[in-house]
Amino acid sequence: MQKLRTIKGTHDILPRDIYKWQKIEAVLREIFLSYAYSEVRTPVFEKTSLFSRGVGEFSDIVRKEMYTFEDKGGESLTLRPELTASVVRSYIQHHYNQEAPLHKLWYLGPLFRQERPQAGRQRQFHQFGIELIGSPHPESDAEAIDVTCNIYRKLGLKNWKLYINSIGSIDSRKEYMKILRNDLKPHIDNLCQSCQERIDGNILRLFDCKNPQCATIMQEHAPSILDHLSKEDAEHFEQVKLLLDANGITYIVDPTMVRGLDYYTRTTFEIKGTALGAQDALCGGGRYDNLISDLDGPDTPAVGFAAGMERLIIAMDAEALFEDELNTVNLYIAPMNSHCLKAVLPLAQRLREKGFSVYVELLRRSVKAMMRDANRQQARWVTVIGDHELESKTMQLKNMNENKKIDMVWDKVDTVL
């Protein structure tokens, strides 16, 4: 019989690694709260049309990567491949716009894409991010970028850089795409098969191709989108840069950065690290002024970003930013018999109610085995409770880190922990 294992492209988050996730999550909540963002949680599956309309029918996500299925009622459903469309659906459905003109939202959760698993890219993965909904102004773009950079700074990550670009409004981008298509068509036979298919669809995706020959063609023959922005788009981008400068944020302008989702307008940005090789994007985001109205909501501008948890953990591991999880157990109690076990249970409960982590041994092992287990549990203090301790209501606490011992009455043990 075949052994039951995780599905290809998925993995368990084991107890020995969960502290890394918890450390990041704690920093995220702290930072999002400091900017007055509120958390939103959406279902892990939605109607397929939400993503085909929202993400874009020509995107690789919709064409190749979505996990789509029919439910028993015959409706097409999809495991969410990204979260912006889901948050926008929630915004429209629950009439957020009637509550306030501006909404600052953040999220954290699992996503699903059927692609080739590799370092930092799994079929079930996790992202965190924000959506700042309601403002068309460049200060919103600048705040979204500031929040992003602040997360990586707060986590202590050093090896990353911020890249920004503007892909203009829908109208100016359409004009640019016409020019780009005309300039590239003489070279179409030299492009890879995927790029040849994209040239009549979302031609901007050609900038993301990793094929060296395609990259050379784009570098030599593709005009810069920054040279084809409307006056309003150019001014918006200039204001974003000025605000970043004022906030001391270092950035690199990259005219080839277009992002992988069709709904972006004007500002786009990425943070790239050095620990992931070719998959170097730690996070990406940008403005999307038409997505809410495209999904039948009110005409509402927005900007946001999304970042991968797994990629962030790889980058932090590479810089040794996680310390071993030490002293998670404040007190390890080793009862010698069933009478002692019954007696220490109320003590353990009182200590837990005061916020201490208490581990009571349950396997009736020898003292030597219990001491080994206490060491494995990384307990700070250990005590063995036998008949003498039970009768005298005293205990000897052994500090596992400092190798010292303290005699203590039961009622005062919390003063030491």
Side-chain angles (χ1 to χ4, degrees):
M1 182 179 294
Q2 187 177 14
K3 292 183 179 180
L4 294 175
R5 301 178 64 86
T6 53
I7 304 299
K8 182 180 180 181
T10 68
H11 64 278
D12 299 315
I13 304 172
L14 301 177
R16 64 172 176 262
D17 295 321
I18 197 66
Y19 76 98
K20 299 177 181 180
W21 293 72
Q22 292 168 343
K23 174 180 178 178
I24 294 172
E25 289 166 8
V27 170
L28 293 177
R29 287 184 169 85
E30 176 186 344
I31 289 178
F32 292 143
L33 180 61
S34 72
Y35 285 85
Y37 282 74
S38 301
E39 185 179 8
V40 60
R41 302 186 186 188
T42 62
V44 296
F45 58 90
E46 303 262 11
K47 292 183 178 180
T48 301
S49 58
L50 171 64
F51 303 113
S52 59
R53 292 176 59 190
V55 177
E57 60 179 325
F58 294 112
S59 68
D60 284 350
I61 292 175
V62 172
R63 293 175 61 206
K64 303 176 182 179
E65 299 171 3
M66 295 201 311
Y67 280 98
T68 298
F69 59 96
E70 277 194 7
D71 67 5
K72 292 184 178 179
E75 184 163 35
S76 180
L77 304 177
T78 295
L79 297 177
R80 62 187 186 194
E82 61 100 49
L83 265 158
T84 296
S86 291
V87 173
V88 166
R89 189 270 310 147
S90 177
Y91 177 89
I92 296 169
Q93 178 178 342
H94 299 288
H95 308 290
Y96 288 35
N97 62 303
Q98 296 178 12
E99 300 173 9
L102 186 72
H103 283 272
K104 297 182 173 186
L105 307 170
W106 74 271
Y107 57 76
L108 168 65
L111 303 175
F112 308 86
R113 297 182 191 175
Q114 190 166 348
E115 52 187 352
R116 184 171 63 86
Q118 53 189 292
R121 175 171 286 184
Q122 299 295 316
R123 291 179 174 178
Q124 177 179 321
F125 58 102
H126 299 75
Q127 284 189 349
F128 61 88
I130 65 169
E131 310 298 346
L132 205 173
I133 302 175
S135 170
H137 304 303
E139 46 263 50
S140 296
D141 309 48
E143 177 169 296
I145 294 171
D146 181 42
V147 173
T148 313
C149 294
N150 203 13
I151 289 170
Y152 296 105
R153 286 196 298 263
K154 185 76 172 181
L155 288 168
L157 205 64
K158 303 293 184 185
N159 298 320
W160 59 271
K161 293 181 180 179
L162 168 66
Y163 296 81
I164 65 172
N165 188 29
S166 176
I167 58 173
S169 61
I170 294 294
D171 290 339
S172 60
R173 189 162 73 248
K174 283 181 178 178
E175 290 301 314
Y176 170 73
M177 290 169 68
K178 289 180 184 178
I179 296 170
L180 179 61
R181 194 170 285 115
N182 288 334
D183 287 355
L184 292 180
K185 280 203 169 177
H187 311 281
I188 190 169
D189 292 338
N190 296 320
L191 296 171
C192 71
Q193 185 62 38
S194 294
C195 286
Q196 291 183 30
E197 294 171 0
R198 289 169 174 164
I199 200 164
D200 289 320
N202 186 355
I203 191 173
L204 296 182
R205 304 304 309 136
L206 271 67
F207 285 107
D208 288 338
C209 184
K210 304 302 181 185
N211 183 301
Q213 185 168 321
C214 294
T216 299
I217 292 173
M218 296 299 291
Q219 184 177 3
E220 293 178 352
H221 301 287
S224 171
I225 194 168
L226 295 177
D227 294 333
H228 296 274
L229 297 178
S230 68
K231 180 180 178 181
E232 293 78 9
D233 293 339
E235 176 61 24
H236 183 100
F237 190 48
E238 195 61 32
Q239 288 299 314
V240 171
K241 291 188 289 182
L242 290 173
L243 289 167
L244 296 180
D245 293 337
N247 207 13
I249 296 175
T250 302
Y251 57 85
I252 299 168
V253 177
D254 180 4
T256 69
M257 188 186 64
V258 296
R259 303 290 303 131
L261 304 174
D262 291 355
Y263 51 63
Y264 284 114
T265 57
R266 288 188 166 174
T267 307
T268 60
F269 62 92
E270 285 187 356
I271 286 180
K272 297 181 180 181
T274 59
L276 296 107
Q279 301 297 328
D280 58 355
L282 289 172
C283 106
R287 174 165 287 281
Y288 54 96
D289 287 345
N290 303 100
L291 178 59
I292 296 175
S293 58
D294 286 346
L295 293 176
D296 303 324
D299 188 9
T300 310
V303 61
F305 79 85
M309 283 286 286
E310 287 85 354
R311 293 188 179 196
L312 176 54
I313 289 171
I314 291 172
M316 292 180 68
D317 274 333
E319 296 188 26
L321 294 176
F322 293 114
E323 297 179 358
D324 289 337
E325 188 178 22
L326 298 174
N327 299 327
T328 56
V329 175
N330 297 109
L331 176 62
Y332 187 106
I333 301 178
M336 293 301 295
N337 55 50
S338 60
H339 298 296
C340 296
L341 172 63
K342 291 177 184 177
V344 301
L345 290 179
L347 170 64
Q349 182 61 23
R350 289 198 302 272
L351 293 173
R352 289 165 180 153
E353 288 174 354
K354 292 184 177 182
F356 297 108
S357 173
V358 180
Y359 189 100
V360 178
E361 210 282 331
L362 302 173
L363 290 177
R364 302 182 180 182
R365 290 175 284 189
S366 67
V367 172
K368 185 176 182 180
M370 288 190 286
M371 291 302 101
R372 284 200 303 265
D373 188 50
N375 189 58
R376 185 186 66 83
Q377 294 282 349
Q378 297 180 316
R380 184 181 181 193
W381 295 93
V382 179
T383 187
V384 177
I385 303 296
D387 290 334
H388 171 73
E389 289 77 17
L390 181 58
E391 182 179 347
S392 64
K393 291 297 181 182
T394 62
M395 65 175 67
Q396 186 177 77
L397 294 171
K398 180 180 180 180
N399 189 302
M400 301 292 281
N401 297 333
E402 301 174 15
N403 197 28
K404 69 179 181 179
K405 298 178 181 179
I406 300 175
D407 292 324
M408 179 65 57
V409 297
W410 288 25
D411 291 343
K412 300 293 185 180
V413 65
D414 59 297
T415 63
V416 175
L417 302 182

